[in-house]
Amino acid sequence: MDPEAVANFLSEQRENAPEDLQQSFLTIEDYWDRKLWHQLTDVLVEYFNTPDSVSQRLPLFRRFILSFSEKINQLKFVSLGLLAASQCSGFHILSPPKQTYSHQLVDDHERLSFLTDLTTKVNKPASQDAYVYALVAASDVKLRLQDLAGARKDLDNAESILDSFDSVETEVHASFYRTNASYYQAKAEFGSYYKNALLYLACIDLKSLPLEDAQSRAYDLSIAALISDSIYNFGELLLHPILDSLNTPEHGWLRDLLFAFNRGDLNAYNVLEDNISKAPLLDEHKTFLWQKISLAALTEAVFRRPPHDRAMTFQTISQETKVQPHEIEILIMKALSLGLLKGSIDQVAEVARINWVQPKVLDMKQIDNMRLRLKDWDSSVNQLGNWIEGVGKDVWAA
């Protein structure tokens, strides 16, 4: 671009900018004139992240940044493009129109065209991280346009490239996991949504999430954990600080319900059951929730028993889980097939012999029960020691 044209364009943009941001354009022009691309990029990223820059992002991107895009970090170039995309108005990214741009309502079809051009521009061997970043952003728009097949194709492509990297910027992974989670949420694949949503949260600083967004994430994760037929251990979610955002009068019951499921607390479930109708997805899966809490009650009943006392009659299990006696065998077989328990069933004697129960996160009451069991074990060891000493007298085995 002609230096004079750049100076005139930046001068025009400076005059249109808020007074407190006009100094930034002098810095931008200075760095551009001296070809300090790294410093120029950082100033532009800072400016684009300023809320008051919204109306100027797109013209700056099309008429200024594109002219030296090959000289700057491609990941930051894509970041600038994504911020500019919020104002795209349907023109081709590589053919900027001559007229002045005004703030327009965003259209996802136009934005997709913009992002597709951006993706193509950075699809080079040396900038595959930037390509993935742009590709994921395009797939996110496709999700909003209900093009699930197109979004899945892009996400699979992005995932295969990410798997080939030794390392990549956290923001790229975060973008992928967020969009992948949105895809699985749209497909009602709750187990996959749960996994990807947690991976997304692991890639970001939770403090950067507005409270409303944190509550929405925590709410969706909680619902997915409860109604997924592949998630029976909520430990990672229960320990995650985002769950604290549900400590409100409106959503507190959902957090309590999660902890009730974790400890297999049927009484707490019965108390909280009336709230289920507040969440349509939970209400829709009410029968499944009862089956799931019954399994949780079974594993908790086994966990509370010492290892030498885990041969349980069907009658005992029925009393612990409130499941009808004729359905106990099915309940145990379900727990065994899901890997929640390991053991065997004596159908004739109607006894389940359990030798392993899936580990899980413990609350304070469960920890206290474990403490009591350890005290019993310690007492048993002391009794055995005293018995050996009494029987062996002067005979000692080394």
Side-chain angles (χ1 to χ4, degrees), residues 133 136 162 168-181 196-197 199-205 217:
Y133 199 24
V136 169
L162 282 173
V168 69
E169 292 292 332
T170 305
E171 62 186 309
V172 179
H173 264 134
S175 175
F176 171 76
Y177 289 131
R178 178 182 55 78
T179 306
N180 213 27
N196 281 273
L199 286 170
Y200 163 67
L201 292 175
C203 293
I204 65 170
D205 180 3
R217 285 279 171 192

Side-chain angles (χ1 to χ4, degrees), residues 302-310 373:
V302 174
F303 180 79
R304 285 199 304 265
R305 291 170 172 261
H308 62 270
D309 186 27
R310 287 182 174 173
R373 283 170 50 193

Side-chain angles (χ1 to χ4, degrees), residues 150-221:
R152 185 68 264 163
K153 182 180 178 181
D154 288 348
L155 288 169
D156 286 342
N157 187 12
E159 185 172 22
S160 65
I161 297 172
L162 282 173
D163 288 342
S164 68
F165 290 152
D166 291 328
S167 63
V168 69
E169 292 292 332
T170 305
E171 62 186 309
V172 179
H173 264 134
S175 175
F176 171 76
Y177 289 131
R178 178 182 55 78
T179 306
N180 213 27
S182 297
Y183 169 82
Y184 286 120
Q185 189 174 29
K187 294 283 287 184
E189 296 181 21
F190 301 107
S192 296
Y193 165 77
Y194 180 85
K195 173 186 174 183
N196 281 273
L198 283 176
L199 286 170
Y200 163 67
L201 292 175
C203 293
I204 65 170
D205 180 3
L206 282 182
K207 295 178 182 177
S208 66
L209 273 183
L211 178 59
E212 186 176 342
D213 289 349
Q215 287 179 338
S216 177
R217 285 279 171 192
Y219 182 88
D220 290 342
L221 272 166

Side-chain angles (χ1 to χ4, degrees), residues 22-314:
Q22 291 182 1
Q23 178 62 38
S24 298
F25 281 96
L26 295 176
T27 305
I28 289 171
E29 186 174 356
D30 177 49
Y31 286 155
W32 184 85
D33 188 51
R34 292 194 287 160
K35 295 181 173 56
L36 298 177
W37 307 120
H38 175 72
Q39 292 87 336
L40 176 58
T41 305
D42 287 343
V43 171
L44 285 167
V45 169
E46 182 181 356
Y47 185 77
F48 270 46
N49 278 294
T50 304
D52 290 339
S53 71
V54 168
S55 62
Q56 294 179 298
R57 292 171 189 169
L58 192 59
L60 277 170
F61 188 84
R62 283 183 165 141
R63 297 180 60 182
F64 179 58
I65 296 172
L66 278 173
S67 66
F68 56 88
S69 61
E70 302 294 334
K71 297 180 174 64
I72 65 176
N73 180 288
Q74 294 297 280
L75 190 57
K76 290 184 178 180
F77 169 64
V78 170
S79 298
L80 291 167
L82 298 187
L83 288 167
S86 63
Q87 296 301 302
C88 66
S89 53
F91 296 102
H92 198 283
I93 183 176
L94 301 181
S95 304
K98 297 179 180 179
Q99 67 262 42
T100 302
Y101 288 88
S102 60
H103 180 72
Q104 300 185 36
L105 292 175
V106 175
D107 181 276
D108 280 333
H109 288 283
E110 296 167 355
R111 181 182 289 166
L112 180 59
S113 176
F114 180 97
L115 293 174
T116 300
D117 292 336
L118 181 62
T119 301
T120 302
K121 188 170 179 61
V122 296
N123 186 11
K124 302 171 185 176
S127 57
Q128 286 295 285
D129 55 344
Y131 172 65
V132 168
Y133 199 24
L135 189 63
V136 169
S139 69
D140 188 46
V141 177
K142 289 180 181 180
L143 284 178
R144 291 200 295 273
L145 293 172
Q146 301 301 309
D147 181 11
L148 299 185
R152 185 68 264 163
K153 182 180 178 181
D154 288 348
L155 288 169
D156 286 342
N157 187 12
E159 185 172 22
S160 65
I161 297 172
L162 282 173
D163 288 342
S164 68
F165 290 152
D166 291 328
S167 63
V168 69
E169 292 292 332
T170 305
E171 62 186 309
V172 179
H173 264 134
S175 175
F176 171 76
Y177 289 131
R178 178 182 55 78
T179 306
N180 213 27
S182 297
Y183 169 82
Y184 286 120
Q185 189 174 29
K187 294 283 287 184
E189 296 181 21
F190 301 107
S192 296
Y193 165 77
Y194 180 85
K195 173 186 174 183
N196 281 273
L198 283 176
L199 286 170
Y200 163 67
L201 292 175
C203 293
I204 65 170
D205 180 3
L206 282 182
K207 295 178 182 177
S208 66
L209 273 183
L211 178 59
E212 186 176 342
D213 289 349
Q215 287 179 338
S216 177
R217 285 279 171 192
Y219 182 88
D220 290 342
L221 272 166
S222 300
I223 298 294
L226 289 168
I227 63 179
S228 170
D229 59 3
S230 62
I231 301 172
Y232 290 85
N233 191 332
F234 312 143
E236 193 171 358
L237 178 57
L238 295 178
L239 293 174
H240 204 289
I242 199 168
L243 204 60
D244 293 337
S245 65
L246 294 182
N247 270 331
T248 64
E250 183 181 1
H251 299 304
W253 66 270
L254 184 56
R255 185 177 184 276
D256 294 340
L257 189 62
L258 274 176
F259 280 94
F261 267 80
N262 183 64
R263 61 179 183 269
D265 192 336
L266 291 169
N267 292 327
Y269 176 81
N270 290 332
V271 170
L272 295 166
E273 188 177 11
D274 291 341
N275 292 289
I276 288 177
S277 59
K278 296 177 181 179
L281 275 174
L282 290 184
D283 200 37
E284 184 181 329
H285 292 79
K286 201 168 184 178
T287 301
F288 173 73
L289 289 175
W290 173 250
Q291 296 170 353
K292 197 166 186 174
I293 191 69
S294 298
L295 285 167
L298 172 59
T299 58
E300 179 63 19
V302 174
F303 180 79
R304 285 199 304 265
R305 291 170 172 261
H308 62 270
D309 186 27
R310 287 182 174 173
M312 303 173 66
T313 66
F314 286 12

